[in-house]
Amino acid sequence: QVQLVESGGGLVQAGGSLRLSCAASGSVFSSARMGWYRQAPGKQRELVADIASGGNTNVADSVKGRFTISRDNAKNSVYLQMNSLKPEDTAVYYCRFLGIGGDYWGQGTQVTVSS
């Protein structure tokens, strides 16, 4: 069983920054691929960024150059640094774990960007 707890969401003005954190427990974190996804009301959930166990990253074109994903295996955590936020970034952001132990999702954290 893997538990994921996200934090760091909130309300921010356009152009501002937020840093999301996701802490994992109950797994061998270092062997897992981790990702950040987001879902706005009435829209499908979409990949924002992911990071492989070896550290290679992929970032969606819509956030490239503004968002950075990173991980700290010693802390069993993955992070999403979000800069130059836009109103269209408003969504619930979810942390995802993909590993030998299975496929797990966090509860989500709300990010709201005001214009």
Side-chain angles (χ1 to χ4, degrees), residues 50-107:
D50 63 11
I51 183 166
S53 60
N56 292 129
T57 62
N58 290 301
V59 183
D61 288 342
S62 60
V63 303
K64 192 167 295 182
R66 300 187 296 120
F67 291 10
T68 302
I69 188 170
S70 62
R71 66 193 295 161
D72 186 339
N73 289 340
K75 297 181 178 180
N76 287 358
S77 296
V78 63
Y79 308 95
L80 186 68
Q81 179 66 47
M82 304 185 293
N83 298 325
S84 301
L85 283 161
K86 304 175 180 179
E88 53 261 45
D89 295 320
T90 295
V92 177
Y93 284 70
Y94 297 90
C95 178
R96 187 186 188 186
F97 170 104
L98 280 174
I100 297 173
D103 186 355
Y104 296 89
W105 294 85
Q107 83 287 348

